[in-house]
Amino acid sequence: MSISQFMSKHHRECDDVYVKAEGLVSEQKWEEASDAFTQAYDDFMLHFNREESTLFPAFEDKTGMTNGPTQMMRSEHMRMKATLEDLKMALQEKDKDKFLGHSEAFMIFVQQHNMKEEQMLYAMMDNVFDTESEELLKEIA
Amino acid sequence: MFGRDSGLSLDQAPPLQIPLRFFVTAPIFGIVAGLFILAFVPSLAARSSLEVITLTHFFTIGFLAMVMIGAMFQMLPVVAGARFKYQNILAPLIHSLLSGGLIVFAYGIYTYTSIAMIVAMVLMAFAFLMFIFSTLSALIKAKNVTPTIKAFIFSLLSLFIAILLAMHITISHATTDISTSHQALLNAHILFSLMGWVGMLIIGVSFQVVPMFYVAESYPEFYKKHAVKVIFISMLGLAFGLINDNYQLYLLFKIFISLVFIDYGVTTVSRLITRKRKISDTTIHYWYLAMSMLIVALLLSLANEYFNNYLLNTVAAIIFIYGFAMSIITGMLYKVVPFLTWFHLTNQGYMNMPTMNDLIGKKLTTIQFYLHVVSLASLIGLVFINDLQVVAGVVVFLSNAFILYNLIKGSKLYFTKQGLEKMNF
């Protein structure tokens, strides 16, 4: 499996858990929603961590691009983390409209971010990493 | 390998003003179209009458092309990792040439004034050609040629052909030198504009936004890989058939094109039905309406090869333009404008702001959606019933005024942000 395939698959997994939480919020099933959201939250953090601690530094070392796409992705992660906190708070307050309102922007932002990673950054990673791919995958799995 | 000049940077979202000026202008031309119907369009039955030609271009250039060009400024960084060079000059220039050109065009066609037709042609051709070449030059530099980029390239090539044909048609009108192939070239112009430029661009955008907005399954790989190629080649074949008066060839390629578009419509609906994200909003209604209208328009147009009734063709064109393209574009604007407002404000550190859903509000978009459906029905009615002129004019006016209001409501916070509490990350 390539880095691109592995990470893209994890994007879908994050989506799945997250939309489940969102659906439960819209039905106001707060307890189940809270569990699903916690799982989604952890999945997102795991994903960010895989990139920020392992893949991005390796990419930067290999290409010398420290101010390029990886930096941009990091700053997008920051914004997603901030919105995740808004969502968490709305969930705690059991405020359906607020949650779904934040969720709308969050979902588009996440999908747009994923698209940039999958169509550009991961594709570049598959190109620049040769033998390292396997090791990197082991490290993040 | 990925140096500074590679053109690859993942954050090049243009300032909000750049796409927004196009987005807000679109419903203004929609409003103008409504007023124009009230004043000058007693019937839509005669497709080649001067008032119908004028009205059509208010919708196609004033609304559709306006939004599509504005959206391209926004999408290019996301889909191709590139942006327009000199976008701060290019966007207002294209926008004003196109808006000004369209007004002169409307005057020139409706009053059949040669000089105005030529002036309008020069203004709009200049705007479109600048747009086509600057977009293409950014797209061909993309490192990873995705199906969306491919669709954009074919769409722009179609627009290029449509513009050349439009220039030829306009010059023949202005010089009253109408050749025997005029009708064939006119049909080719309509084909490349609607199925080529509008249709393929929407297909390319769908590849991205259906999974993105609704967390739906991606379109089938085979379709993504081949659909636009088949459409483009079939359009060339169809145009060849038209110009050489070869009916069999024309019909064969027409069926090909229709099948690819119907496949797109059915696939999109099935993707939306099985989408993971179950939240429903006005934009979803717009998608379902657009896809069903696309399929209806194509089936009508195909059926007309048998019935041979020119009114049926006019109805198919109305359904394609107003029912399919305008619907999908309006639906997307309701997602994109509040999102961009949210995006740019949070980018500047304004965190304590209304959520994206509160920016326009579901009630307003729902009312507008129903007005849109009524205005579509009244336009179809106007093909057959002259008495509908006032009704059609009023509802087209109201529906577009409502879009304008909603878009302003969705974005004004960006321009009046003093009230928002500024917080630091």
Side-chain angles (χ1 to χ4, degrees):
Chain A
M1 193 185 272
S2 67
I3 290 180
S4 184
Q5 286 165 334
F6 181 84
M7 293 302 283
S8 302
K9 191 166 153 265
H10 195 230
H11 279 161
R12 300 291 90 76
E13 287 162 14
C14 290
D15 288 349
D16 286 350
V17 187
Y18 180 79
V19 292
K20 190 177 151 208
E22 190 192 43
L24 289 165
V25 169
S26 76
E27 292 168 27
Q28 310 209 42
K29 292 181 178 161
W30 296 108
E31 262 182 38
E32 292 165 59
S34 178
D35 291 344
F37 181 80
T38 307
Q39 198 194 334
Y41 184 96
D42 293 344
D43 272 353
F44 276 110
M45 293 304 162
L46 172 68
H47 191 86
F48 297 152
N49 194 41
R50 282 172 169 169
E51 293 180 335
E52 291 179 11
S53 315
T54 310
L55 294 177
F56 290 178
F59 179 81
E60 287 160 357
D61 282 349
K62 187 89 182 180
T63 61
M65 289 172 80
T66 48
N67 249 333
T70 44
Q71 204 43 37
M72 199 53 236
M73 293 298 104
R74 278 196 187 91
S75 88
E76 292 194 357
H77 289 169
M78 290 255 295
R79 296 186 59 184
M80 286 187 264
K81 284 177 194 167
T83 315
L84 276 168
E85 295 308 319
D86 289 338
L87 288 163
K88 200 185 207 175
M89 206 183 295
L91 191 67
Q92 279 162 2
E93 292 165 6
K94 298 191 176 163
D95 189 334
K96 176 182 153 189
D97 290 340
K98 200 173 181 185
F99 185 95
L100 295 180
H102 283 305
S103 186
E104 191 63 41
F106 179 70
M107 234 25 244
I108 298 177
F109 194 83
V110 168
Q111 298 303 324
Q112 191 173 300
H113 172 85
N114 291 354
M115 225 165 257
K116 290 183 204 171
E117 288 190 337
E118 289 169 26
Q119 291 173 5
M120 289 176 260
L121 187 57
Y122 295 163
M124 286 160 76
M125 284 182 176
D126 283 347
N127 277 335
V128 297
F129 294 134
D130 192 10
T131 47
E132 303 97 320
S133 283
E134 218 168 298
E135 246 165 72
L136 287 166
L137 280 173
K138 246 184 239 161
E139 209 172 311
I140 55 177
Chain B
M1 181 174 181
F2 305 111
R4 198 176 272 245
D5 55 350
S6 68
L8 188 114
S9 157
L10 299 186
D11 182 49
Q12 297 169 320
L16 186 58
Q17 289 89 328
I18 287 188
L20 197 64
R21 83 176 73 231
F22 291 95
F23 296 166
V24 170
T25 308
I28 294 177
F29 275 113
I31 291 170
V32 172
L35 295 173
F36 188 78
I37 294 172
L38 277 175
F40 304 115
V41 191
S43 163
L44 292 177
R47 156 188 135 173
S48 52
S49 70
L50 298 177
E51 65 270 18
V52 175
I53 298 174
T54 310
L55 179 69
T56 307
H57 288 86
F58 279 136
F59 290 132
T60 53
I61 298 179
F63 196 102
L64 303 182
M66 201 58 83
V67 178
M68 287 155 67
I69 291 174
M72 191 61 87
F73 279 93
Q74 189 63 44
M75 289 184 297
L76 217 50
V78 182
V79 302
R83 71 169 167 185
F84 289 94
K85 276 186 183 163
Y86 317 114
Q87 59 177 357
N88 291 324
I89 303 167
L90 202 59
L93 188 61
I94 292 176
H95 174 264
S96 45
L97 284 172
L98 208 54
S99 309
L102 181 55
I103 293 165
V104 181
F105 177 82
Y107 172 80
I109 291 291
Y110 187 66
T111 60
Y112 215 69
T113 312
S114 298
I115 180 78
M117 286 186 215
I118 296 292
V119 170
M121 184 196 81
V122 172
L123 294 175
M124 291 200 288
F126 199 45
F128 276 120
L129 294 178
M130 270 197 305
F131 166 71
I132 293 168
F133 289 115
S134 47
T135 315
L136 277 178
S137 68
L139 285 175
I140 54 174
K141 281 189 215 135
K143 292 266 177 253
N144 184 9
V145 181
T146 60
T148 295
I149 294 180
K150 233 182 277 170
F152 285 2
I153 292 173
F154 281 118
S155 166
L156 289 163
L157 290 178
S158 305
L159 177 63
F160 181 65
I161 297 172
I163 299 301
L164 293 185
L165 290 165
M167 289 167 78
H168 175 85
I169 294 162
T170 314
I171 292 170
S172 11
H173 275 295
T175 55
T176 55
D177 176 18
I178 310 279
S179 68
T180 46
S181 56
H182 185 82
Q183 194 57 42
L185 294 174
L186 180 64
N187 285 334
H189 165 71
I190 297 170
L191 172 77
F192 280 99
S193 307
L194 294 183
M195 314 302 280
W197 150 239
V198 176
M200 286 201 282
L201 194 86
I202 290 179
I203 289 181
V205 172
S206 305
F207 289 163
Q208 297 272 339
V209 301
V210 169
M212 178 159 103
F213 289 164
Y214 307 106
V215 195
E217 200 189 331
S218 186
Y219 286 77
E221 285 306 316
F222 185 80
Y223 191 87
K224 286 205 286 191
K225 212 167 168 195
H226 301 293
V228 291
K229 244 183 299 177
V230 176
I231 295 174
F232 190 74
I233 293 167
S234 303
M235 282 197 308
L236 293 177
L238 198 159
F240 183 80
L242 272 174
I243 291 160
N244 289 295
D245 227 359
N246 184 334
Y247 182 72
Q248 270 79 18
L249 207 61
Y250 156 84
L251 188 63
L252 176 74
F253 284 116
K254 182 169 176 171
I255 292 172
F256 267 157
I257 298 174
S258 304
L259 286 178
V260 182
F261 272 101
I262 290 172
D263 188 3
Y264 158 74
V266 173
T267 308
T268 306
V269 169
S270 76
R271 290 297 189 262
L272 289 175
I273 289 175
T274 57
R275 71 189 191 276
K276 290 181 197 158
R277 201 166 175 228
K278 291 300 175 200
I279 306 282
S280 180
D281 57 20
T282 312
T283 70
I284 286 275
H285 300 317
Y286 260 121
W287 275 87
Y288 285 138
L289 175 70
M291 291 305 131
S292 41
M293 289 301 104
L294 171 68
I295 294 168
V296 169
L298 292 165
L299 291 179
L300 272 180
S301 174
L302 278 179
N304 202 37
E305 295 303 326
Y306 177 75
F307 293 112
N308 226 345
N309 179 339
Y310 70 100
L311 290 181
L312 219 52
N313 254 347
T314 310
V315 172
I318 293 171
I319 294 179
F320 188 94
I321 294 169
Y322 207 92
F324 162 60
M326 261 180 87
S327 299
I328 209 162
I329 283 177
T330 308
M332 280 197 262
L333 284 175
Y334 285 156
K335 279 268 189 219
V336 169
V337 169
F339 175 73
L340 290 179
T341 305
W342 173 88
F343 174 83
H344 284 285
L345 281 172
T346 50
N347 222 7
Q348 293 172 12
Y350 294 94
M351 300 305 284
N352 192 11
M353 59 175 285
T355 66
M356 193 183 137
N357 281 356
D358 297 328
L359 286 174
I360 301 181
K362 196 172 176 178
K363 210 190 266 172
L364 291 176
T365 54
T366 308
I367 297 171
Q368 194 281 320
F369 173 78
Y370 287 115
L371 271 173
H372 177 78
V373 174
V374 176
S375 54
L376 170 64
S378 70
L379 285 172
I380 296 169
L382 197 57
V383 175
F384 305 99
I385 312 163
N386 288 10
D387 289 345
L388 278 178
Q389 181 180 7
V390 175
V391 177
V394 169
V395 285
V396 168
F397 173 89
L398 282 179
S399 176
N400 282 280
F402 227 113
I403 298 176
L404 180 64
Y405 176 79
N406 286 344
L407 296 185
I408 291 175
K409 187 166 183 284
S411 58
K412 70 166 193 253
L413 197 62
Y414 179 80
F415 301 97
T416 55
K417 55 198 169 194
Q418 293 86 351
L420 293 167
E421 184 189 346
K422 186 158 185 165
M423 287 165 70
N424 292 322
F425 279 109

